[in-house]
Amino acid sequence: MFRQSLSHLPLSGIGRRSLSSVTKIQHSLPAAYYRGGTSRAVFFKQDDLPARRSDWDSIFRGVIGSPDPYGRQLDGLGGGISSLSKVCVVGKSTHPDADIDYTFVSLGVKNTEVDYSSNCGNMISAVGPFAVDSKLVTLNDPETASVRIHNTNSGKIINATFPVVDGEAASSGDFSIDGVAGTAARVQLDFVNPAGSATGKLLPTGNATDTFDGVLATCIDVANPCTFVRAADLGVEGNISPDEISAHPDLLLRLDSIRRHAGVQMGLADTVSRVPGSVPKIGIVSTPSSDARSKAQKQTSADVDLLVRAISVGQPHKAVPITVALALAAAGRVPGSIVADVASKSPVDDAGISIGHASGNLLVGADFDADGGLSFATVFRTARRLFEGRIFWKNE
């Protein structure tokens, strides 16, 4: 009876337009979904995307599910936080010293921002495996792949080395990283001459420290432009959790103000309103303590050289961006910097700097030349292909 009565109802103009709109088919493209380190991203081959980069933004927003006023990105493959709202584009190399080009794209969760201004160290760990799995590179060794990656965002070269099985990137292994459950195959990432990624200078302001909003800070550009401030100068504990940062009445707003003023001073924008959401990154650093929480986290001075709590695109990071870790390794060697001030003078591990972050600890190996410049930095991550096929999105 109910169905019959509905069948006799006249269609209004609005109803006809609604029926017309639902007949439109979705767009689709070949794509893959990878976890890289403590992040995830949708991967595209560059040849599968439109030739004009201006046409990419609407595609990326559609597949990720942004903007989402609810902050969950349920209508796409984003995860509601900055570390899960990412796209990677991989294609033929335009650099003589690289095998492939890699472009990183960060998308806002609640807004329409599509940001090409930064790099993602975590997702780089999946770029080499994607290139191998997608047959974008030729393997010269049946057991080990070495892929030279040109990051188009920064112009820098990163060498990725990882095991392969039957022509594909290995997923299983006995290596683990804090922030990711289980173990996987180890991916070695060697960042070549990572200083000056966006500004051309290790210290973009020319100073080891500057003051922004009354807070002393160190601005440094390694893999990504970063700004570091002391936890004590903000009135918080160094081992504050991401949830506590979010719940703090004004900490995120204060950090963003410092970050934006630093961005102008670093030459990233001419006004604070034009500073990108993704760079400079900002981190709260401190000397490890021996309180109960630090002991439970295994982040005392016997475990790590310093603590950092990183903010990425306005949200507390659940771990630490690899680019932030690289910047910390370099800043720790700059006399008079905020990081050098709080870091241990007797490193826990001679191989590099041990960093305590929100999900555990991370060792960053770094090589410095005779002049104190960072010539080489190494981190170890894991990555895994989660799916590949076609990805669908609607018109904006």
Side-chain angles (χ1 to χ4, degrees), residues 5-162:
S5 64
L6 283 178
S7 66
H8 293 288
L9 290 176
L11 290 174
S12 67
I14 294 177
R16 283 193 295 272
R17 286 196 295 271
S18 298
L19 286 176
S20 175
S21 66
V22 299
T23 63
K24 293 181 180 179
I25 63 171
Q26 295 190 82
H27 301 288
S28 70
L29 281 175
Y33 199 47
Y34 277 70
R35 176 187 62 79
T38 54
S39 296
R40 290 198 306 263
V42 176
F43 274 74
F44 292 99
K45 290 182 182 179
Q46 185 163 339
D47 286 348
D48 290 329
L49 290 168
R52 294 189 307 176
R53 183 172 288 195
S54 59
D55 294 330
W56 291 6
D57 292 8
S58 61
I59 296 173
F60 297 162
R61 282 191 287 260
V63 301
I64 289 296
S66 292
D68 183 352
Y70 300 103
R72 300 181 67 189
Q73 296 174 313
L74 284 177
D75 207 31
L77 285 179
I81 57 177
S82 63
S83 60
L84 305 178
S85 188
K86 301 178 176 182
V87 168
C88 298
V89 180
V90 183
K92 298 174 183 177
S93 176
T94 58
H95 195 289
D97 297 325
D99 301 308
I100 54 172
D101 275 4
Y102 149 64
T103 300
F104 171 68
V105 189
S106 172
L107 289 99
V109 176
K110 293 185 177 182
N111 58 45
T112 60
E113 185 172 12
V114 183
D115 191 345
Y116 296 83
S117 66
S118 68
N119 183 15
C120 177
N122 271 296
M123 286 316 308
I124 285 181
S125 61
V127 172
F130 173 79
V132 168
D133 295 341
S134 302
K135 312 303 181 188
L136 290 172
V137 295
T138 301
L139 292 173
N140 297 317
D141 186 316
E143 296 183 352
T144 304
S146 182
V147 181
R148 301 172 303 167
I149 302 166
H150 170 223
N151 175 236
T152 65
N153 308 79
S154 64
K156 297 296 184 176
I157 302 295
I158 304 96
N159 298 327
T161 305
F162 50 92

Side-chain angles (χ1 to χ4, degrees), residues 207-222:
N207 306 315
T209 59
D210 296 274
T211 301
F212 306 107
D213 285 358
V215 178
L216 203 63
T218 288
C219 297
I220 192 162
D221 182 2
V222 173

Side-chain angles (χ1 to χ4, degrees), residues 218 220-224 226-229 282-286 306-310 320-334 337-340 342-343 353-357 362 364 366 368 374:
T218 288
I220 192 162
D221 182 2
V222 173
N224 263 330
C226 293
T227 301
F228 297 112
V229 293
I282 190 164
I284 307 169
V285 297
S286 65
L306 80 159
L307 300 181
V308 65
R309 296 298 183 261
V320 61
I322 293 302
T323 53
V324 173
L326 295 173
L328 283 167
R333 298 288 289 270
V334 176
S337 75
I338 293 295
V339 179
V342 302
I353 187 169
S354 299
I355 300 167
H357 55 81
L362 173 67
V364 180
F368 295 83
L374 182 62

Side-chain angles (χ1 to χ4, degrees), residues 282-355:
I282 190 164
I284 307 169
V285 297
S286 65
T287 302
S289 69
S290 56
D291 61 19
R293 176 184 281 191
S294 296
K295 290 178 180 178
Q297 294 172 329
K298 295 183 179 179
Q299 292 185 348
T300 68
S301 58
D303 305 302
V304 296
D305 298 318
L306 80 159
L307 300 181
V308 65
R309 296 298 183 261
I311 309 300
S312 178
V313 197
Q315 296 177 315
H317 203 283
K318 300 296 184 182
V320 61
I322 293 302
T323 53
V324 173
L326 295 173
L328 283 167
R333 298 288 289 270
V334 176
S337 75
I338 293 295
V339 179
D341 177 63
V342 302
S344 170
K345 304 304 182 287
S346 300
V348 171
D349 192 320
D350 291 336
I353 187 169
S354 299
I355 300 167

